[in-house]
């Protein structure tokens, strides 16, 4: 069973145990089943990600004590930047749902579909049931993208969780943990463009301590 970590989930560590989920699931992908976005990965100057304007995106505002930063998240290519924009928005939506303890947050079903959506809801619910939230800064970087065709793409990216921590929901106590290789996570995702023009995540897997992400 492949180890699996949804965005910001690895920031939740208590008693030295990383809270991760296990599972595969094809997320309902069809046709070309490529997942890794490990092609050219052209990323230029740092810029805020911008999703395509084909559909009205949900407005997601993270709590004041939680920040997502996206480093060199633009390529200059319109299609690739639309994909990356929806990846960034999906990350924000997931982290907001974790912070609020709300597995039914509507933006999850906007940016995920299939098995990936079920995994995301289950993961948010499990964190909420355990009584935790998240706080701090999650940094996303080294995004590499392949656009397979007009409706499917793959993105691989890294997350630096060294400044993100679990927070006990009732008391607000922040559970800080030591920084090590497991503070850095690589994500491999597949996305499919729906009829509204949204690049939804249909598959998501992760690995901690990847050499391509650790300093």
């Amino acid at each position: 069973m492949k180890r699996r970590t949804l965005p910001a989930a690895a920031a939740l560590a208590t008693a030295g145990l990383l809270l991760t989920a296990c599972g595969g699931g094809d997320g309902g992908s069809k046709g070309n089943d490529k997942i890794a976005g490990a092609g050219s990965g052209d990323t230029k100057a740092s810029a805020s990600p911008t999703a395509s304007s084909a559909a009205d995106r949900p407005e997601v505002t993270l709590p004041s004590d939680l920040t997502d930063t996206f480093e060199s998240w633009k390529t200059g290519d319109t299609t690739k930047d639309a994909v990356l924009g929806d990846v960034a928005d999906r990350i924000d939506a997931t982290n907001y749902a974790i912070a609020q303890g709300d597995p039914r947050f509507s933006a999850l079903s906007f940016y995920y579909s299939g098995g990936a959506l079920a995994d995301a809801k289950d993961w948010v619910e499990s964190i909420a049931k355990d009584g935790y939230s998240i706080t701090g800064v999650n940094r996303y970087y080294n995004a590499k993208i392949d656009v397979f065709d007009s409706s499917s793409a793959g993105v691989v990216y890294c997350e630096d969780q060294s400044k993100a921590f679990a927070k006990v929901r009732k008391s607000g106590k922040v559970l800080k943990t030591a920084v090590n290789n497991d503070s850095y996570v690589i994500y491999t995702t597949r996305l499919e463009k729906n009829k509204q023009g949204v690049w939804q995540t249909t598959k998501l897997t992760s690995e901690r301590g990847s050499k391509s992400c650790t300093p």
Side-chain angles (χ1 to χ4, degrees):
M1 183 163 58
K2 182 172 289 188
R3 198 175 182 189
R4 189 178 186 84
T5 310
L6 291 174
L12 299 169
T14 58
L17 297 176
L18 294 171
L19 302 179
T20 58
C22 286
D26 63 8
S29 297
K30 55 188 176 182
N32 186 341
D33 201 37
K34 295 178 185 176
I35 185 170
S40 60
D42 296 331
T43 51
K44 299 182 180 179
S46 297
S48 299
T50 303
S52 71
S53 58
D56 291 332
R57 266 65 180 169
E59 185 173 339
V60 177
T61 302
L62 295 175
S64 59
D65 66 336
L66 181 62
T67 302
D68 292 341
T69 65
F70 300 90
E71 183 178 290
S72 298
W73 209 256
K74 279 197 172 183
T75 69
D77 178 270
T78 301
T79 300
K80 289 182 178 181
D81 287 345
V83 174
L84 289 174
D86 280 337
V87 170
D89 286 347
R90 184 259 297 163
I91 290 169
D92 282 346
T94 307
N95 289 349
Y96 177 90
I98 293 172
Q100 299 299 317
D102 183 6
R104 290 171 294 280
F105 180 46
S106 61
L108 293 180
S109 58
F110 191 91
Y111 291 113
Y112 289 95
S113 66
L117 174 59
D119 285 346
K121 288 182 175 180
D122 287 348
W123 184 233
V124 173
E125 184 174 17
S126 70
I127 294 170
K129 284 184 176 180
D130 287 340
Y132 298 108
S133 179
I134 52 175
T135 188
V137 178
N138 295 292
R139 180 174 69 95
Y140 301 93
Y141 57 102
N142 283 0
K144 295 178 174 61
I145 178 170
D146 276 338
V147 177
F148 305 135
D149 53 43
S150 62
S151 61
S152 64
V155 179
V156 172
Y157 61 93
C158 296
E159 180 185 13
D160 171 5
Q161 299 175 339
S162 62
K163 296 180 180 179
F165 307 101
K167 183 172 70 172
V168 180
R169 191 172 295 279
K170 285 186 177 180
S171 67
K173 180 180 179 181
V174 176
L175 305 175
K176 292 192 175 183
T177 53
V179 177
N180 55 39
N181 284 349
D182 281 348
S183 302
Y184 303 90
V185 186
I186 189 168
Y187 295 92
T188 304
T189 67
R190 176 179 170 86
L191 299 100
E192 295 179 6
K193 190 177 183 180
N194 66 14
K195 293 180 180 179
Q196 290 71 44
V198 180
W199 289 92
Q200 293 183 309
T201 295
T202 59
K203 288 186 178 181
L204 188 156
T205 59
S206 69
E207 179 186 352
R208 294 192 173 283
S210 170
K211 291 182 179 180
S212 60
C213 293
T214 53

